[in-house]
Amino acid sequence: MNKIILGVACLALTVNVSAQTMRETIGKHFLIGAAVSTRNIYSQDPKVKSAIVNNFNAIVPENCMKGEAIHPEENRYSWDDADATVKYAEDNHMTVTGHCLVWHSQAPRWMFKDSEGKTVTREVLIDRLYHHITNVVGRYKGRIKGWDVVNEAFEDDGSYRKTQYYNIIGPEYFELAFKFAHEADPNAELYYNDYSMSKPAKRDAVCRLVRDLKAKGCRIDAVGMQSHNGTDYPNLNDYEASIDSFAACGVKVMMTELDINMLPSPQHFGGADISQRFKYDKTLNPYVNGLTKSAQKLFNERYLAFFKIYAKHKDQISRVTLWGVSDADSWLNGWPVPGRTNYSLLIDRQYNVKPVVKDIIKLFK
Ligand code: G3I
């Protein structure tokens, strides 16, 4: 009789272990999420919804809350897609991150020009920034856990990116944006988000920003390391050093846009500067029919290396978000070279979880 009970117990354990998802395991330690497009949200394909809801407990809208999308004219907002994304999350008991309030790219086109096409004054831009943030954050008050308040505001050398916000308002725009967001939803978490955050000069600049914002009485809860990684960048020691440095500033660390670019770069570069574009060439698109065995091995090893770091630093990390649901959804199929077939995420083009996820989950058991 004991042998039968033992057998049944082992079977139950085996079944239980193999069926466990990232949401059920990693989700116990920190939020595990995905960026979702409006195509994902409105999809009638049950495989898409189960891929999102079974594997993740957090989502971030990939594009529909960006300035140009949600606030296309000074006196007109476009709420439908953002509303649908927030409702999708609530219906499926998922956390939502708002992305992103202040970004030089995809900023509302009208934001910086007056009716005669001239650059607006500092006072006018501050007033416009106030109304944008107040209306967007205020609409989802109590429903969005946290906001990427400022996105990609430093150069890799640690200098301020000379965006229109910086040029017209000055560096005070950081403090203004964080304070406006906090006033609009006092309970929302507030984040600074950027890419190439393993670079020491950028890391130091962001640490200075966090300390400066805190000294000015601003709420800042976390720093987002976007983590648009490659097979040979960033250096893992630098990556880990950044996690420790940001945590030492008294904030949580989030991996906000994790993916691994498996395709050759037109020129060796890291980052995610969306303005970079290169002409298609078939030598840059070697895996149209799937990764080779060696490329798949490299993919598995690289993702495991990053998740080993996340497991080691799980007390400092509050969220890891993949930048897309499946390989088919990844922005890396079109950037920096249009028309390629990339394999950058943990769910494949058939919306099945890739085999490496089983090994990733074991790190968190
Ligand atoms: O919605 C329009 C559509 O109406 C139009 O027909 C089509 C063709 O022009 O463009 C569509 O908008 C595109 C949008 O994605 C939605 O698909 C924009 O052109 C395109 O530039 C935009 O790309 C996004 C990019 O940010 C710029 O906003 C990517 O999907 C998105 O993955 C990427 O994400 C950024 C993060 O927000 C910030 N960190 C870097 C990351 C990668 O660049």
Side-chain angles (χ1 to χ4, degrees), residues 41-65:
I41 292 293
Y42 297 129
S43 172
Q44 298 305 307
D45 180 347
K47 287 205 78 173
V48 175
K49 181 167 183 183
S50 61
I52 296 170
V53 176
N54 292 348
N55 293 294
F56 304 111
N57 57 10
I59 56 174
V60 58
E62 187 175 12
N63 289 300
C64 69
M65 288 188 183

PDB file of all heavy atoms in Angstrom, residues 41-65:
ATOM      1  N   ILE A  41      -3.900  42.183 -27.650  1.00  0.00           N
ATOM      2  CA  ILE A  41      -5.050  42.421 -26.765  1.00  0.00           C
ATOM      3  C   ILE A  41      -6.363  42.066 -27.450  1.00  0.00           C
ATOM      4  O   ILE A  41      -7.249  41.464 -26.881  1.00  0.00           O
ATOM      5  CB  ILE A  41      -5.076  43.910 -26.323  1.00  0.00           C
ATOM      6  CG1 ILE A  41      -3.892  44.208 -25.421  1.00  0.00           C
ATOM      7  CG2 ILE A  41      -6.380  44.298 -25.630  1.00  0.00           C
ATOM      8  CD1 ILE A  41      -3.938  43.500 -24.087  1.00  0.00           C
ATOM      9  N   TYR A  42      -6.472  42.428 -28.726  1.00  0.00           N
ATOM     10  CA  TYR A  42      -7.723  42.205 -29.467  1.00  0.00           C
ATOM     11  C   TYR A  42      -7.760  40.848 -30.153  1.00  0.00           C
ATOM     12  O   TYR A  42      -8.756  40.481 -30.756  1.00  0.00           O
ATOM     13  CB  TYR A  42      -7.928  43.314 -30.506  1.00  0.00           C
ATOM     14  CG  TYR A  42      -8.094  44.702 -29.925  1.00  0.00           C
ATOM     15  CD1 TYR A  42      -7.327  45.773 -30.390  1.00  0.00           C
ATOM     16  CD2 TYR A  42      -8.989  44.957 -28.878  1.00  0.00           C
ATOM     17  CE1 TYR A  42      -7.454  47.051 -29.845  1.00  0.00           C
ATOM     18  CE2 TYR A  42      -9.119  46.230 -28.335  1.00  0.00           C
ATOM     19  CZ  TYR A  42      -8.348  47.266 -28.819  1.00  0.00           C
ATOM     20  OH  TYR A  42      -8.471  48.536 -28.265  1.00  0.00           O
ATOM     21  N   SER A  43      -6.673  40.073 -30.059  1.00  0.00           N
ATOM     22  CA  SER A  43      -6.619  38.797 -30.786  1.00  0.00           C
ATOM     23  C   SER A  43      -7.736  37.846 -30.335  1.00  0.00           C
ATOM     24  O   SER A  43      -8.016  37.710 -29.145  1.00  0.00           O
ATOM     25  CB  SER A  43      -5.266  38.109 -30.548  1.00  0.00           C
ATOM     26  OG  SER A  43      -5.286  36.802 -31.095  1.00  0.00           O
ATOM     27  N   GLN A  44      -8.351  37.184 -31.304  1.00  0.00           N
ATOM     28  CA  GLN A  44      -9.381  36.170 -30.995  1.00  0.00           C
ATOM     29  C   GLN A  44      -8.765  34.772 -30.924  1.00  0.00           C
ATOM     30  O   GLN A  44      -9.462  33.798 -30.686  1.00  0.00           O
ATOM     31  CB  GLN A  44     -10.474  36.197 -32.086  1.00  0.00           C
ATOM     32  CG  GLN A  44     -11.222  37.527 -32.182  1.00  0.00           C
ATOM     33  CD  GLN A  44     -11.832  37.962 -30.840  1.00  0.00           C
ATOM     34  OE1 GLN A  44     -12.559  37.193 -30.220  1.00  0.00           O
ATOM     35  NE2 GLN A  44     -11.486  39.156 -30.377  1.00  0.00           N
ATOM     36  N   ASP A  45      -7.461  34.685 -31.108  1.00  0.00           N
ATOM     37  CA  ASP A  45      -6.780  33.384 -31.088  1.00  0.00           C
ATOM     38  C   ASP A  45      -6.568  32.956 -29.634  1.00  0.00           C
ATOM     39  O   ASP A  45      -5.818  33.619 -28.901  1.00  0.00           O
ATOM     40  CB  ASP A  45      -5.416  33.509 -31.808  1.00  0.00           C
ATOM     41  CG  ASP A  45      -4.653  32.182 -31.823  1.00  0.00           C
ATOM     42  OD1 ASP A  45      -5.052  31.250 -31.074  1.00  0.00           O
ATOM     43  OD2 ASP A  45      -3.659  32.098 -32.571  1.00  0.00           O
ATOM     44  N   PRO A  46      -7.219  31.879 -29.196  1.00  0.00           N
ATOM     45  CA  PRO A  46      -7.096  31.464 -27.784  1.00  0.00           C
ATOM     46  C   PRO A  46      -5.652  31.169 -27.376  1.00  0.00           C
ATOM     47  O   PRO A  46      -5.280  31.341 -26.218  1.00  0.00           O
ATOM     48  CB  PRO A  46      -7.959  30.206 -27.694  1.00  0.00           C
ATOM     49  CG  PRO A  46      -8.238  29.777 -29.086  1.00  0.00           C
ATOM     50  CD  PRO A  46      -8.100  30.980 -29.959  1.00  0.00           C
ATOM     51  N   LYS A  47      -4.813  30.799 -28.361  1.00  0.00           N
ATOM     52  CA  LYS A  47      -3.405  30.495 -28.024  1.00  0.00           C
ATOM     53  C   LYS A  47      -2.680  31.758 -27.572  1.00  0.00           C
ATOM     54  O   LYS A  47      -1.778  31.733 -26.742  1.00  0.00           O
ATOM     55  CB  LYS A  47      -2.696  29.869 -29.233  1.00  0.00           C
ATOM     56  CG  LYS A  47      -3.113  28.437 -29.536  1.00  0.00           C
ATOM     57  CD  LYS A  47      -2.027  27.679 -30.295  1.00  0.00           C
ATOM     58  CE  LYS A  47      -0.935  27.232 -29.347  1.00  0.00           C
ATOM     59  NZ  LYS A  47       0.063  26.355 -29.967  1.00  0.00           N
ATOM     60  N   VAL A  48      -3.077  32.900 -28.160  1.00  0.00           N
ATOM     61  CA  VAL A  48      -2.422  34.159 -27.779  1.00  0.00           C
ATOM     62  C   VAL A  48      -2.778  34.505 -26.343  1.00  0.00           C
ATOM     63  O   VAL A  48      -1.916  34.768 -25.517  1.00  0.00           O
ATOM     64  CB  VAL A  48      -2.836  35.300 -28.733  1.00  0.00           C
ATOM     65  CG1 VAL A  48      -2.258  36.641 -28.267  1.00  0.00           C
ATOM     66  CG2 VAL A  48      -2.391  34.996 -30.157  1.00  0.00           C
ATOM     67  N   LYS A  49      -4.085  34.436 -26.054  1.00  0.00           N
ATOM     68  CA  LYS A  49      -4.522  34.791 -24.691  1.00  0.00           C
ATOM     69  C   LYS A  49      -3.930  33.826 -23.658  1.00  0.00           C
ATOM     70  O   LYS A  49      -3.407  34.261 -22.623  1.00  0.00           O
ATOM     71  CB  LYS A  49      -6.046  34.776 -24.592  1.00  0.00           C
ATOM     72  CG  LYS A  49      -6.516  35.162 -23.194  1.00  0.00           C
ATOM     73  CD  LYS A  49      -7.974  35.468 -23.112  1.00  0.00           C
ATOM     74  CE  LYS A  49      -8.323  35.915 -21.681  1.00  0.00           C
ATOM     75  NZ  LYS A  49      -9.765  36.176 -21.521  1.00  0.00           N
ATOM     76  N   SER A  50      -3.911  32.531 -23.958  1.00  0.00           N
ATOM     77  CA  SER A  50      -3.384  31.607 -22.942  1.00  0.00           C
ATOM     78  C   SER A  50      -1.882  31.812 -22.769  1.00  0.00           C
ATOM     79  O   SER A  50      -1.357  31.716 -21.663  1.00  0.00           O
ATOM     80  CB  SER A  50      -3.711  30.157 -23.297  1.00  0.00           C
ATOM     81  OG  SER A  50      -3.127  29.831 -24.528  1.00  0.00           O
ATOM     82  N   ALA A  51      -1.191  32.148 -23.855  1.00  0.00           N
ATOM     83  CA  ALA A  51       0.258  32.414 -23.733  1.00  0.00           C
ATOM     84  C   ALA A  51       0.495  33.588 -22.791  1.00  0.00           C
ATOM     85  O   ALA A  51       1.393  33.567 -21.948  1.00  0.00           O
ATOM     86  CB  ALA A  51       0.857  32.703 -25.103  1.00  0.00           C
ATOM     87  N   ILE A  52      -0.344  34.615 -22.888  1.00  0.00           N
ATOM     88  CA  ILE A  52      -0.170  35.809 -22.045  1.00  0.00           C
ATOM     89  C   ILE A  52      -0.595  35.503 -20.607  1.00  0.00           C
ATOM     90  O   ILE A  52       0.174  35.674 -19.662  1.00  0.00           O
ATOM     91  CB  ILE A  52      -0.986  36.990 -22.603  1.00  0.00           C
ATOM     92  CG1 ILE A  52      -0.473  37.403 -23.984  1.00  0.00           C
ATOM     93  CG2 ILE A  52      -0.950  38.183 -21.640  1.00  0.00           C
ATOM     94  CD1 ILE A  52      -1.374  38.393 -24.720  1.00  0.00           C
ATOM     95  N   VAL A  53      -1.799  35.001 -20.436  1.00  0.00           N
ATOM     96  CA  VAL A  53      -2.374  34.880 -19.093  1.00  0.00           C
ATOM     97  C   VAL A  53      -1.754  33.733 -18.293  1.00  0.00           C
ATOM     98  O   VAL A  53      -1.566  33.848 -17.082  1.00  0.00           O
ATOM     99  CB  VAL A  53      -3.905  34.704 -19.210  1.00  0.00           C
ATOM    100  CG1 VAL A  53      -4.537  34.486 -17.843  1.00  0.00           C
ATOM    101  CG2 VAL A  53      -4.526  35.923 -19.880  1.00  0.00           C
ATOM    102  N   ASN A  54      -1.349  32.650 -18.978  1.00  0.00           N
ATOM    103  CA  ASN A  54      -0.751  31.525 -18.238  1.00  0.00           C
ATOM    104  C   ASN A  54       0.673  31.809 -17.789  1.00  0.00           C
ATOM    105  O   ASN A  54       1.116  31.325 -16.752  1.00  0.00           O
ATOM    106  CB  ASN A  54      -0.737  30.263 -19.119  1.00  0.00           C
ATOM    107  CG  ASN A  54      -2.135  29.755 -19.372  1.00  0.00           C
ATOM    108  OD1 ASN A  54      -3.090  30.204 -18.716  1.00  0.00           O
ATOM    109  ND2 ASN A  54      -2.281  28.862 -20.343  1.00  0.00           N
ATOM    110  N   ASN A  55       1.411  32.580 -18.594  1.00  0.00           N
ATOM    111  CA  ASN A  55       2.851  32.729 -18.328  1.00  0.00           C
ATOM    112  C   ASN A  55       3.232  33.999 -17.593  1.00  0.00           C
ATOM    113  O   ASN A  55       4.344  34.090 -17.054  1.00  0.00           O
ATOM    114  CB  ASN A  55       3.626  32.675 -19.656  1.00  0.00           C
ATOM    115  CG  ASN A  55       3.538  31.290 -20.280  1.00  0.00           C
ATOM    116  OD1 ASN A  55       4.057  30.322 -19.733  1.00  0.00           O
ATOM    117  ND2 ASN A  55       2.807  31.190 -21.396  1.00  0.00           N
ATOM    118  N   PHE A  56       2.327  35.001 -17.588  1.00  0.00           N
ATOM    119  CA  PHE A  56       2.726  36.304 -17.035  1.00  0.00           C
ATOM    120  C   PHE A  56       1.704  36.804 -16.023  1.00  0.00           C
ATOM    121  O   PHE A  56       0.501  36.538 -16.166  1.00  0.00           O
ATOM    122  CB  PHE A  56       2.884  37.328 -18.171  1.00  0.00           C
ATOM    123  CG  PHE A  56       3.849  36.883 -19.246  1.00  0.00           C
ATOM    124  CD1 PHE A  56       3.397  36.561 -20.525  1.00  0.00           C
ATOM    125  CD2 PHE A  56       5.210  36.749 -18.971  1.00  0.00           C
ATOM    126  CE1 PHE A  56       4.272  36.126 -21.508  1.00  0.00           C
ATOM    127  CE2 PHE A  56       6.096  36.313 -19.948  1.00  0.00           C
ATOM    128  CZ  PHE A  56       5.629  35.997 -21.221  1.00  0.00           C
ATOM    129  N   ASN A  57       2.159  37.576 -15.023  1.00  0.00           N
ATOM    130  CA  ASN A  57       1.224  38.220 -14.081  1.00  0.00           C
ATOM    131  C   ASN A  57       1.308  39.736 -14.193  1.00  0.00           C
ATOM    132  O   ASN A  57       0.818  40.463 -13.327  1.00  0.00           O
ATOM    133  CB  ASN A  57       1.477  37.764 -12.643  1.00  0.00           C
ATOM    134  CG  ASN A  57       2.914  38.034 -12.200  1.00  0.00           C
ATOM    135  OD1 ASN A  57       3.664  38.718 -12.885  1.00  0.00           O
ATOM    136  ND2 ASN A  57       3.300  37.491 -11.050  1.00  0.00           N
ATOM    137  N   ALA A  58       1.944  40.199 -15.283  1.00  0.00           N
ATOM    138  CA  ALA A  58       2.072  41.651 -15.478  1.00  0.00           C
ATOM    139  C   ALA A  58       2.145  41.943 -16.972  1.00  0.00           C
ATOM    140  O   ALA A  58       2.707  41.136 -17.726  1.00  0.00           O
ATOM    141  CB  ALA A  58       3.339  42.153 -14.791  1.00  0.00           C
ATOM    142  N   ILE A  59       1.582  43.063 -17.369  1.00  0.00           N
ATOM    143  CA  ILE A  59       1.718  43.481 -18.775  1.00  0.00           C
ATOM    144  C   ILE A  59       2.045  44.970 -18.833  1.00  0.00           C
ATOM    145  O   ILE A  59       1.799  45.727 -17.880  1.00  0.00           O
ATOM    146  CB  ILE A  59       0.454  43.212 -19.624  1.00  0.00           C
ATOM    147  CG1 ILE A  59      -0.793  43.856 -19.035  1.00  0.00           C
ATOM    148  CG2 ILE A  59       0.269  41.715 -19.845  1.00  0.00           C
ATOM    149  CD1 ILE A  59      -2.017  43.709 -19.952  1.00  0.00           C
ATOM    150  N   VAL A  60       2.637  45.346 -19.940  1.00  0.00           N
ATOM    151  CA  VAL A  60       2.880  46.766 -20.228  1.00  0.00           C
ATOM    152  C   VAL A  60       2.476  47.002 -21.674  1.00  0.00           C
ATOM    153  O   VAL A  60       2.788  46.187 -22.548  1.00  0.00           O
ATOM    154  CB  VAL A  60       4.361  47.142 -19.973  1.00  0.00           C
ATOM    155  CG1 VAL A  60       5.320  46.327 -20.799  1.00  0.00           C
ATOM    156  CG2 VAL A  60       4.595  48.616 -20.251  1.00  0.00           C
ATOM    157  N   PRO A  61       1.708  48.063 -21.955  1.00  0.00           N
ATOM    158  CA  PRO A  61       1.322  48.333 -23.340  1.00  0.00           C
ATOM    159  C   PRO A  61       2.551  48.751 -24.135  1.00  0.00           C
ATOM    160  O   PRO A  61       3.255  49.693 -23.747  1.00  0.00           O
ATOM    161  CB  PRO A  61       0.315  49.469 -23.225  1.00  0.00           C
ATOM    162  CG  PRO A  61       0.594  50.111 -21.914  1.00  0.00           C
ATOM    163  CD  PRO A  61       1.187  49.056 -21.022  1.00  0.00           C
ATOM    164  N   GLU A  62       2.802  48.053 -25.252  1.00  0.00           N
ATOM    165  CA  GLU A  62       4.026  48.326 -26.022  1.00  0.00           C
ATOM    166  C   GLU A  62       4.023  49.733 -26.617  1.00  0.00           C
ATOM    167  O   GLU A  62       5.055  50.405 -26.654  1.00  0.00           O
ATOM    168  CB  GLU A  62       4.158  47.283 -27.141  1.00  0.00           C
ATOM    169  CG  GLU A  62       5.463  47.368 -27.900  1.00  0.00           C
ATOM    170  CD  GLU A  62       5.615  46.251 -28.917  1.00  0.00           C
ATOM    171  OE1 GLU A  62       4.636  45.537 -29.215  1.00  0.00           O
ATOM    172  OE2 GLU A  62       6.738  46.104 -29.435  1.00  0.00           O
ATOM    173  N   ASN A  63       2.866  50.184 -27.080  1.00  0.00           N
ATOM    174  CA  ASN A  63       2.837  51.483 -27.774  1.00  0.00           C
ATOM    175  C   ASN A  63       1.653  52.389 -27.447  1.00  0.00           C
ATOM    176  O   ASN A  63       1.754  53.604 -27.615  1.00  0.00           O
ATOM    177  CB  ASN A  63       2.831  51.242 -29.285  1.00  0.00           C
ATOM    178  CG  ASN A  63       4.172  50.715 -29.766  1.00  0.00           C
ATOM    179  OD1 ASN A  63       5.199  51.386 -29.601  1.00  0.00           O
ATOM    180  ND2 ASN A  63       4.189  49.507 -30.306  1.00  0.00           N
ATOM    181  N   CYS A  64       0.547  51.839 -27.012  1.00  0.00           N
ATOM    182  CA  CYS A  64      -0.685  52.649 -27.039  1.00  0.00           C
ATOM    183  C   CYS A  64      -0.780  53.722 -25.959  1.00  0.00           C
ATOM    184  O   CYS A  64      -1.687  54.549 -26.010  1.00  0.00           O
ATOM    185  CB  CYS A  64      -1.907  51.728 -26.993  1.00  0.00           C
ATOM    186  SG  CYS A  64      -2.132  50.877 -25.430  1.00  0.00           S
ATOM    187  N   MET A  65       0.132  53.747 -25.008  1.00  0.00           N
ATOM    188  CA  MET A  65       0.123  54.817 -24.004  1.00  0.00           C
ATOM    189  C   MET A  65       1.228  55.849 -24.249  1.00  0.00           C
ATOM    190  O   MET A  65       1.425  56.758 -23.451  1.00  0.00           O
ATOM    191  CB  MET A  65       0.279  54.242 -22.597  1.00  0.00           C
ATOM    192  CG  MET A  65      -0.930  53.508 -22.082  1.00  0.00           C
ATOM    193  SD  MET A  65      -0.746  53.077 -20.339  1.00  0.00           S
ATOM    194  CE  MET A  65      -2.251  52.172 -20.071  1.00  0.00           C
TER     195      MET A  65
END
